[in-house]
Amino acid sequence: MTPDKIEKLPFEERLEKEFSKLPEGWIVLLETDTESALKVSLAAIKVLTNNGHTGIILSASRPCSNLLNLYKKSNIDVKKVFLLDCVCKSQATEAQDSENVLHLENVSALTNIAISINKTTEKLKGNRFIFIDSITTMLIHNKPDVFARFTHSILTKMRIDGLNGLLISLENETNKEVRAEIAQLCDKVIKL
Amino acid sequence: MANETQKKSLENAIKKHERGAVIMMELPADAYFDKNITSIKILTELDFDGIYISFQRPFKNLFSLFEKQGIDINKLLFIDIATALGEHEQEKHTRCVHISPNIDIDELVRAIYTSLPKLKGKKKFIFIDSLTTITLYKPLSETMRFSEFLVRSVKKHEVENVILVFNVAKDLAQKKFIKDIALRVDEVITVVQ
């Protein structure tokens, strides 16, 4: 009797194919609709962690407890992810840092976010990725030009340090000009 | 097919203005760097040597990707503004011109002028990877001053036989300052994905 296959997440197969075609040190913009955004995020993280990557997830949308729960349910190895949570503290929720969670003040604290990303990156070994979830949410809380500059700086640092990058954006919900400023910095735009 | 059209458009523009040309390339944001690479391939295959001014990507990334694409790096000098603007440590390499982190436009123009004679070929180009990325860090007036200075130098043949290429994402080409610069160029080439 053959063992049960672990069911793949929606979008997982498509993302496996897309990521396999990319050169090392890639940065990708994932573009999707509101309904699919969570599924796309989970699938992307699963594909990467299954392929030996360790990742920093910058979460502007969901608190860490919710994310860790979702990751476990999706068979994502949570030991391979480090969460930068921009949600809990800003909601005055009790925010306890742990081995793989760091709470940041809020989504607008871009300098602090950049510093935290750098510090966390140094702790991780091997193939690493940074996942910004999501640029649409971050733009609600930041001026477009300031956010574009932040993104450019982060992506430059990723490239210098040889990290892979994922940014997720909601189609038709993101400021068109900022979307173009960010898309042109990426190696590929994947629409799902 | 799209790359063939890009090649034809660029070749025609260069032929029309043999003593030097200012070209604006409007590129699809979703394939921006791919199209930049295509332009560099075309220019180097036409025996141009050039200066690649990078506001978007650090030298390390460009060098690796250009090599993978079979572009002759010895025909290029890179000015890595991206790394300088982010105040990260710049790579030391013979093909990479050092620029200070407190970069100002005057220093950038000086770097371009002093790099041009270092190019071995008779035919030269100056390639600005993005007109809009610089405005994330510098006032608009500085971007305008920078572009106007370069355009004037090429058109007045202060630098001989130089092709100046400005790149901008199509979705950003309607910005007022881009339209102002477009009025001053010899050709605007719209590249499709």
PDB file of all heavy atoms in Angstrom, chain A residues 39-72:
ATOM      1  N   LYS A  39      -3.462  32.167  -0.221  1.00  0.00           N
ATOM      2  CA  LYS A  39      -3.058  30.873  -0.810  1.00  0.00           C
ATOM      3  C   LYS A  39      -1.720  31.002  -1.532  1.00  0.00           C
ATOM      4  O   LYS A  39      -0.855  30.135  -1.457  1.00  0.00           O
ATOM      5  CB  LYS A  39      -4.118  30.392  -1.795  1.00  0.00           C
ATOM      6  CG  LYS A  39      -5.405  29.950  -1.128  1.00  0.00           C
ATOM      7  CD  LYS A  39      -6.457  29.551  -2.155  1.00  0.00           C
ATOM      8  CE  LYS A  39      -7.806  29.411  -1.483  1.00  0.00           C
ATOM      9  NZ  LYS A  39      -8.922  29.453  -2.433  1.00  0.00           N
ATOM     10  N   VAL A  40      -1.556  32.102  -2.252  1.00  0.00           N
ATOM     11  CA  VAL A  40      -0.305  32.336  -2.991  1.00  0.00           C
ATOM     12  C   VAL A  40       0.862  32.453  -2.013  1.00  0.00           C
ATOM     13  O   VAL A  40       1.919  31.867  -2.211  1.00  0.00           O
ATOM     14  CB  VAL A  40      -0.415  33.590  -3.885  1.00  0.00           C
ATOM     15  CG1 VAL A  40       0.935  34.001  -4.430  1.00  0.00           C
ATOM     16  CG2 VAL A  40      -1.395  33.338  -5.034  1.00  0.00           C
ATOM     17  N   SER A  41       0.652  33.215  -0.949  1.00  0.00           N
ATOM     18  CA  SER A  41       1.719  33.403   0.056  1.00  0.00           C
ATOM     19  C   SER A  41       2.136  32.062   0.641  1.00  0.00           C
ATOM     20  O   SER A  41       3.330  31.753   0.733  1.00  0.00           O
ATOM     21  CB  SER A  41       1.241  34.287   1.203  1.00  0.00           C
ATOM     22  OG  SER A  41       0.852  35.538   0.740  1.00  0.00           O
ATOM     23  N   LEU A  42       1.139  31.278   1.051  1.00  0.00           N
ATOM     24  CA  LEU A  42       1.444  29.994   1.693  1.00  0.00           C
ATOM     25  C   LEU A  42       2.170  29.070   0.709  1.00  0.00           C
ATOM     26  O   LEU A  42       3.155  28.413   1.068  1.00  0.00           O
ATOM     27  CB  LEU A  42       0.156  29.329   2.196  1.00  0.00           C
ATOM     28  CG  LEU A  42      -0.524  30.029   3.365  1.00  0.00           C
ATOM     29  CD1 LEU A  42      -1.899  29.400   3.657  1.00  0.00           C
ATOM     30  CD2 LEU A  42       0.333  29.993   4.624  1.00  0.00           C
ATOM     31  N   ALA A  43       1.697  29.039  -0.511  1.00  0.00           N
ATOM     32  CA  ALA A  43       2.319  28.169  -1.515  1.00  0.00           C
ATOM     33  C   ALA A  43       3.767  28.575  -1.769  1.00  0.00           C
ATOM     34  O   ALA A  43       4.666  27.734  -1.855  1.00  0.00           O
ATOM     35  CB  ALA A  43       1.519  28.218  -2.820  1.00  0.00           C
ATOM     36  N   ALA A  44       4.005  29.886  -1.865  1.00  0.00           N
ATOM     37  CA  ALA A  44       5.365  30.373  -2.143  1.00  0.00           C
ATOM     38  C   ALA A  44       6.322  29.993  -1.017  1.00  0.00           C
ATOM     39  O   ALA A  44       7.430  29.500  -1.251  1.00  0.00           O
ATOM     40  CB  ALA A  44       5.346  31.890  -2.331  1.00  0.00           C
ATOM     41  N   ILE A  45       5.863  30.193   0.214  1.00  0.00           N
ATOM     42  CA  ILE A  45       6.728  29.882   1.368  1.00  0.00           C
ATOM     43  C   ILE A  45       6.970  28.383   1.433  1.00  0.00           C
ATOM     44  O   ILE A  45       8.087  27.921   1.713  1.00  0.00           O
ATOM     45  CB  ILE A  45       6.092  30.410   2.669  1.00  0.00           C
ATOM     46  CG1 ILE A  45       6.064  31.939   2.634  1.00  0.00           C
ATOM     47  CG2 ILE A  45       6.850  29.917   3.897  1.00  0.00           C
ATOM     48  CD1 ILE A  45       5.169  32.572   3.676  1.00  0.00           C
ATOM     49  N   LYS A  46       5.949  27.611   1.131  1.00  0.00           N
ATOM     50  CA  LYS A  46       6.094  26.147   1.182  1.00  0.00           C
ATOM     51  C   LYS A  46       7.095  25.663   0.132  1.00  0.00           C
ATOM     52  O   LYS A  46       7.970  24.840   0.443  1.00  0.00           O
ATOM     53  CB  LYS A  46       4.750  25.480   0.948  1.00  0.00           C
ATOM     54  CG  LYS A  46       4.801  23.994   1.239  1.00  0.00           C
ATOM     55  CD  LYS A  46       3.426  23.396   1.349  1.00  0.00           C
ATOM     56  CE  LYS A  46       3.586  21.928   1.732  1.00  0.00           C
ATOM     57  NZ  LYS A  46       2.426  21.148   1.358  1.00  0.00           N
ATOM     58  N   VAL A  47       6.979  26.178  -1.074  1.00  0.00           N
ATOM     59  CA  VAL A  47       7.898  25.758  -2.141  1.00  0.00           C
ATOM     60  C   VAL A  47       9.341  26.059  -1.742  1.00  0.00           C
ATOM     61  O   VAL A  47      10.233  25.217  -1.879  1.00  0.00           O
ATOM     62  CB  VAL A  47       7.548  26.460  -3.472  1.00  0.00           C
ATOM     63  CG1 VAL A  47       8.650  26.283  -4.498  1.00  0.00           C
ATOM     64  CG2 VAL A  47       6.230  25.929  -4.023  1.00  0.00           C
ATOM     65  N   LEU A  48       9.547  27.237  -1.219  1.00  0.00           N
ATOM     66  CA  LEU A  48      10.920  27.649  -0.894  1.00  0.00           C
ATOM     67  C   LEU A  48      11.475  26.869   0.294  1.00  0.00           C
ATOM     68  O   LEU A  48      12.615  26.392   0.257  1.00  0.00           O
ATOM     69  CB  LEU A  48      10.975  29.146  -0.630  1.00  0.00           C
ATOM     70  CG  LEU A  48      10.742  30.004  -1.878  1.00  0.00           C
ATOM     71  CD1 LEU A  48      10.615  31.481  -1.506  1.00  0.00           C
ATOM     72  CD2 LEU A  48      11.846  29.828  -2.900  1.00  0.00           C
ATOM     73  N   THR A  49      10.687  26.719   1.342  1.00  0.00           N
ATOM     74  CA  THR A  49      11.193  26.001   2.522  1.00  0.00           C
ATOM     75  C   THR A  49      11.386  24.508   2.198  1.00  0.00           C
ATOM     76  O   THR A  49      12.337  23.888   2.673  1.00  0.00           O
ATOM     77  CB  THR A  49      10.269  26.189   3.742  1.00  0.00           C
ATOM     78  OG1 THR A  49       8.924  25.901   3.365  1.00  0.00           O
ATOM     79  CG2 THR A  49      10.342  27.609   4.285  1.00  0.00           C
ATOM     80  N   ASN A  50      10.520  23.954   1.361  1.00  0.00           N
ATOM     81  CA  ASN A  50      10.700  22.555   0.933  1.00  0.00           C
ATOM     82  C   ASN A  50      11.974  22.364   0.135  1.00  0.00           C
ATOM     83  O   ASN A  50      12.555  21.278   0.109  1.00  0.00           O
ATOM     84  CB  ASN A  50       9.505  22.092   0.089  1.00  0.00           C
ATOM     85  CG  ASN A  50       8.315  21.694   0.943  1.00  0.00           C
ATOM     86  OD1 ASN A  50       8.385  21.716   2.170  1.00  0.00           O
ATOM     87  ND2 ASN A  50       7.220  21.347   0.291  1.00  0.00           N
ATOM     88  N   ASN A  51      12.417  23.446  -0.532  1.00  0.00           N
ATOM     89  CA  ASN A  51      13.641  23.379  -1.344  1.00  0.00           C
ATOM     90  C   ASN A  51      14.868  23.850  -0.588  1.00  0.00           C
ATOM     91  O   ASN A  51      15.856  24.275  -1.193  1.00  0.00           O
ATOM     92  CB  ASN A  51      13.468  24.219  -2.615  1.00  0.00           C
ATOM     93  CG  ASN A  51      12.639  23.467  -3.630  1.00  0.00           C
ATOM     94  OD1 ASN A  51      12.692  22.252  -3.723  1.00  0.00           O
ATOM     95  ND2 ASN A  51      11.844  24.197  -4.386  1.00  0.00           N
ATOM     96  N   GLY A  52      14.790  23.807   0.717  1.00  0.00           N
ATOM     97  CA  GLY A  52      15.979  24.073   1.521  1.00  0.00           C
ATOM     98  C   GLY A  52      16.248  25.521   1.831  1.00  0.00           C
ATOM     99  O   GLY A  52      17.319  25.875   2.318  1.00  0.00           O
ATOM    100  N   HIS A  53      15.306  26.404   1.548  1.00  0.00           N
ATOM    101  CA  HIS A  53      15.504  27.823   1.864  1.00  0.00           C
ATOM    102  C   HIS A  53      15.028  28.132   3.272  1.00  0.00           C
ATOM    103  O   HIS A  53      14.097  27.522   3.786  1.00  0.00           O
ATOM    104  CB  HIS A  53      14.696  28.699   0.897  1.00  0.00           C
ATOM    105  CG  HIS A  53      15.283  28.796  -0.475  1.00  0.00           C
ATOM    106  ND1 HIS A  53      15.182  27.795  -1.396  1.00  0.00           N
ATOM    107  CD2 HIS A  53      15.972  29.793  -1.078  1.00  0.00           C
ATOM    108  CE1 HIS A  53      15.789  28.163  -2.513  1.00  0.00           C
ATOM    109  NE2 HIS A  53      16.267  29.375  -2.343  1.00  0.00           N
ATOM    110  N   THR A  54      15.697  29.115   3.874  1.00  0.00           N
ATOM    111  CA  THR A  54      15.226  29.683   5.140  1.00  0.00           C
ATOM    112  C   THR A  54      14.798  31.106   4.830  1.00  0.00           C
ATOM    113  O   THR A  54      15.463  31.790   4.044  1.00  0.00           O
ATOM    114  CB  THR A  54      16.383  29.751   6.160  1.00  0.00           C
ATOM    115  OG1 THR A  54      17.258  28.670   5.944  1.00  0.00           O
ATOM    116  CG2 THR A  54      15.866  29.709   7.571  1.00  0.00           C
ATOM    117  N   GLY A  55      13.705  31.524   5.471  1.00  0.00           N
ATOM    118  CA  GLY A  55      13.177  32.823   5.048  1.00  0.00           C
ATOM    119  C   GLY A  55      12.799  33.764   6.164  1.00  0.00           C
ATOM    120  O   GLY A  55      12.484  33.357   7.280  1.00  0.00           O
ATOM    121  N   ILE A  56      12.854  35.044   5.811  1.00  0.00           N
ATOM    122  CA  ILE A  56      12.356  36.099   6.695  1.00  0.00           C
ATOM    123  C   ILE A  56      11.043  36.570   6.081  1.00  0.00           C
ATOM    124  O   ILE A  56      11.007  36.973   4.918  1.00  0.00           O
ATOM    125  CB  ILE A  56      13.336  37.278   6.765  1.00  0.00           C
ATOM    126  CG1 ILE A  56      14.673  36.813   7.327  1.00  0.00           C
ATOM    127  CG2 ILE A  56      12.762  38.406   7.614  1.00  0.00           C
ATOM    128  CD1 ILE A  56      15.779  37.826   7.179  1.00  0.00           C
ATOM    129  N   ILE A  57       9.991  36.491   6.876  1.00  0.00           N
ATOM    130  CA  ILE A  57       8.681  36.925   6.391  1.00  0.00           C
ATOM    131  C   ILE A  57       8.366  38.253   7.068  1.00  0.00           C
ATOM    132  O   ILE A  57       8.236  38.314   8.290  1.00  0.00           O
ATOM    133  CB  ILE A  57       7.557  35.919   6.769  1.00  0.00           C
ATOM    134  CG1 ILE A  57       8.006  34.471   6.602  1.00  0.00           C
ATOM    135  CG2 ILE A  57       6.272  36.253   6.035  1.00  0.00           C
ATOM    136  CD1 ILE A  57       8.218  34.004   5.207  1.00  0.00           C
ATOM    137  N   LEU A  58       8.257  39.300   6.284  1.00  0.00           N
ATOM    138  CA  LEU A  58       7.859  40.602   6.827  1.00  0.00           C
ATOM    139  C   LEU A  58       6.347  40.685   6.673  1.00  0.00           C
ATOM    140  O   LEU A  58       5.842  40.806   5.555  1.00  0.00           O
ATOM    141  CB  LEU A  58       8.550  41.736   6.067  1.00  0.00           C
ATOM    142  CG  LEU A  58       8.135  43.140   6.479  1.00  0.00           C
ATOM    143  CD1 LEU A  58       8.561  43.440   7.910  1.00  0.00           C
ATOM    144  CD2 LEU A  58       8.728  44.176   5.545  1.00  0.00           C
ATOM    145  N   SER A  59       5.641  40.598   7.797  1.00  0.00           N
ATOM    146  CA  SER A  59       4.183  40.551   7.719  1.00  0.00           C
ATOM    147  C   SER A  59       3.555  41.870   8.135  1.00  0.00           C
ATOM    148  O   SER A  59       3.664  42.299   9.283  1.00  0.00           O
ATOM    149  CB  SER A  59       3.633  39.436   8.600  1.00  0.00           C
ATOM    150  OG  SER A  59       2.214  39.465   8.556  1.00  0.00           O
ATOM    151  N   ALA A  60       2.892  42.503   7.170  1.00  0.00           N
ATOM    152  CA  ALA A  60       2.176  43.752   7.446  1.00  0.00           C
ATOM    153  C   ALA A  60       0.683  43.497   7.561  1.00  0.00           C
ATOM    154  O   ALA A  60      -0.089  44.403   7.900  1.00  0.00           O
ATOM    155  CB  ALA A  60       2.442  44.746   6.320  1.00  0.00           C
ATOM    156  N   SER A  61       0.275  42.266   7.269  1.00  0.00           N
ATOM    157  CA  SER A  61      -1.158  41.977   7.168  1.00  0.00           C
ATOM    158  C   SER A  61      -1.701  41.127   8.309  1.00  0.00           C
ATOM    159  O   SER A  61      -2.818  41.348   8.782  1.00  0.00           O
ATOM    160  CB  SER A  61      -1.459  41.256   5.862  1.00  0.00           C
ATOM    161  OG  SER A  61      -0.753  41.843   4.794  1.00  0.00           O
ATOM    162  N   ARG A  62      -0.940  40.142   8.731  1.00  0.00           N
ATOM    163  CA  ARG A  62      -1.453  39.178   9.715  1.00  0.00           C
ATOM    164  C   ARG A  62      -0.519  39.052  10.901  1.00  0.00           C
ATOM    165  O   ARG A  62       0.698  39.105  10.751  1.00  0.00           O
ATOM    166  CB  ARG A  62      -1.591  37.800   9.052  1.00  0.00           C
ATOM    167  CG  ARG A  62      -2.727  37.721   8.063  1.00  0.00           C
ATOM    168  CD  ARG A  62      -2.695  36.415   7.278  1.00  0.00           C
ATOM    169  NE  ARG A  62      -3.824  36.347   6.381  1.00  0.00           N
ATOM    170  CZ  ARG A  62      -4.952  35.691   6.655  1.00  0.00           C
ATOM    171  NH1 ARG A  62      -5.083  35.019   7.776  1.00  0.00           N
ATOM    172  NH2 ARG A  62      -5.946  35.698   5.795  1.00  0.00           N
ATOM    173  N   PRO A  63      -1.083  38.855  12.095  1.00  0.00           N
ATOM    174  CA  PRO A  63      -0.227  38.684  13.271  1.00  0.00           C
ATOM    175  C   PRO A  63       0.476  37.330  13.246  1.00  0.00           C
ATOM    176  O   PRO A  63       0.025  36.395  12.588  1.00  0.00           O
ATOM    177  CB  PRO A  63      -1.216  38.758  14.444  1.00  0.00           C
ATOM    178  CG  PRO A  63      -2.521  38.381  13.861  1.00  0.00           C
ATOM    179  CD  PRO A  63      -2.514  38.783  12.428  1.00  0.00           C
ATOM    180  N   CYS A  64       1.551  37.246  14.004  1.00  0.00           N
ATOM    181  CA  CYS A  64       2.417  36.064  13.959  1.00  0.00           C
ATOM    182  C   CYS A  64       1.668  34.785  14.350  1.00  0.00           C
ATOM    183  O   CYS A  64       1.883  33.727  13.740  1.00  0.00           O
ATOM    184  CB  CYS A  64       3.624  36.254  14.852  1.00  0.00           C
ATOM    185  SG  CYS A  64       3.225  36.682  16.552  1.00  0.00           S
ATOM    186  N   SER A  65       0.809  34.871  15.368  1.00  0.00           N
ATOM    187  CA  SER A  65       0.133  33.653  15.847  1.00  0.00           C
ATOM    188  C   SER A  65      -0.717  33.050  14.731  1.00  0.00           C
ATOM    189  O   SER A  65      -0.722  31.831  14.504  1.00  0.00           O
ATOM    190  CB  SER A  65      -0.740  33.965  17.056  1.00  0.00           C
ATOM    191  OG  SER A  65      -1.581  35.063  16.756  1.00  0.00           O
ATOM    192  N   ASN A  66      -1.426  33.910  14.020  1.00  0.00           N
ATOM    193  CA  ASN A  66      -2.255  33.469  12.902  1.00  0.00           C
ATOM    194  C   ASN A  66      -1.401  32.844  11.804  1.00  0.00           C
ATOM    195  O   ASN A  66      -1.718  31.766  11.272  1.00  0.00           O
ATOM    196  CB  ASN A  66      -3.060  34.667  12.379  1.00  0.00           C
ATOM    197  CG  ASN A  66      -3.881  34.330  11.153  1.00  0.00           C
ATOM    198  OD1 ASN A  66      -3.590  34.771  10.052  1.00  0.00           O
ATOM    199  ND2 ASN A  66      -4.911  33.505  11.328  1.00  0.00           N
ATOM    200  N   LEU A  67      -0.280  33.502  11.504  1.00  0.00           N
ATOM    201  CA  LEU A  67       0.591  32.997  10.434  1.00  0.00           C
ATOM    202  C   LEU A  67       1.185  31.641  10.806  1.00  0.00           C
ATOM    203  O   LEU A  67       1.186  30.711   9.994  1.00  0.00           O
ATOM    204  CB  LEU A  67       1.712  33.990  10.155  1.00  0.00           C
ATOM    205  CG  LEU A  67       1.335  35.210   9.319  1.00  0.00           C
ATOM    206  CD1 LEU A  67       2.505  36.168   9.208  1.00  0.00           C
ATOM    207  CD2 LEU A  67       0.870  34.812   7.930  1.00  0.00           C
ATOM    208  N   LEU A  68       1.698  31.543  12.027  1.00  0.00           N
ATOM    209  CA  LEU A  68       2.338  30.280  12.420  1.00  0.00           C
ATOM    210  C   LEU A  68       1.337  29.126  12.381  1.00  0.00           C
ATOM    211  O   LEU A  68       1.678  28.007  11.957  1.00  0.00           O
ATOM    212  CB  LEU A  68       2.965  30.424  13.816  1.00  0.00           C
ATOM    213  CG  LEU A  68       4.224  31.297  13.849  1.00  0.00           C
ATOM    214  CD1 LEU A  68       4.649  31.605  15.283  1.00  0.00           C
ATOM    215  CD2 LEU A  68       5.376  30.647  13.099  1.00  0.00           C
ATOM    216  N   ASN A  69       0.129  29.403  12.766  1.00  0.00           N
ATOM    217  CA  ASN A  69      -0.948  28.417  12.704  1.00  0.00           C
ATOM    218  C   ASN A  69      -1.205  27.949  11.269  1.00  0.00           C
ATOM    219  O   ASN A  69      -1.303  26.756  10.976  1.00  0.00           O
ATOM    220  CB  ASN A  69      -2.233  29.086  13.208  1.00  0.00           C
ATOM    221  CG  ASN A  69      -2.900  28.205  14.228  1.00  0.00           C
ATOM    222  OD1 ASN A  69      -2.516  27.055  14.452  1.00  0.00           O
ATOM    223  ND2 ASN A  69      -3.935  28.768  14.849  1.00  0.00           N
ATOM    224  N   LEU A  70      -1.294  28.939  10.397  1.00  0.00           N
ATOM    225  CA  LEU A  70      -1.548  28.641   8.982  1.00  0.00           C
ATOM    226  C   LEU A  70      -0.392  27.843   8.386  1.00  0.00           C
ATOM    227  O   LEU A  70      -0.590  26.927   7.587  1.00  0.00           O
ATOM    228  CB  LEU A  70      -1.740  29.940   8.184  1.00  0.00           C
ATOM    229  CG  LEU A  70      -3.063  30.679   8.417  1.00  0.00           C
ATOM    230  CD1 LEU A  70      -2.983  32.102   7.872  1.00  0.00           C
ATOM    231  CD2 LEU A  70      -4.233  29.945   7.763  1.00  0.00           C
ATOM    232  N   TYR A  71       0.837  28.216   8.773  1.00  0.00           N
ATOM    233  CA  TYR A  71       2.006  27.499   8.243  1.00  0.00           C
ATOM    234  C   TYR A  71       1.964  26.035   8.684  1.00  0.00           C
ATOM    235  O   TYR A  71       2.213  25.125   7.893  1.00  0.00           O
ATOM    236  CB  TYR A  71       3.320  28.140   8.736  1.00  0.00           C
ATOM    237  CG  TYR A  71       3.586  29.527   8.216  1.00  0.00           C
ATOM    238  CD1 TYR A  71       4.545  30.341   8.816  1.00  0.00           C
ATOM    239  CD2 TYR A  71       2.882  30.060   7.138  1.00  0.00           C
ATOM    240  CE1 TYR A  71       4.793  31.623   8.359  1.00  0.00           C
ATOM    241  CE2 TYR A  71       3.122  31.347   6.681  1.00  0.00           C
ATOM    242  CZ  TYR A  71       4.075  32.114   7.298  1.00  0.00           C
ATOM    243  OH  TYR A  71       4.312  33.401   6.853  1.00  0.00           O
ATOM    244  N   LYS A  72       1.640  25.822   9.941  1.00  0.00           N
ATOM    245  CA  LYS A  72       1.600  24.430  10.457  1.00  0.00           C
ATOM    246  C   LYS A  72       0.530  23.630   9.717  1.00  0.00           C
ATOM    247  O   LYS A  72       0.753  22.484   9.310  1.00  0.00           O
ATOM    248  CB  LYS A  72       1.352  24.420  11.961  1.00  0.00           C
ATOM    249  CG  LYS A  72       2.577  24.796  12.766  1.00  0.00           C
ATOM    250  CD  LYS A  72       2.280  24.954  14.260  1.00  0.00           C
ATOM    251  CE  LYS A  72       3.514  25.518  14.955  1.00  0.00           C
ATOM    252  NZ  LYS A  72       3.198  26.121  16.264  1.00  0.00           N
TER     253      LYS A  72
END
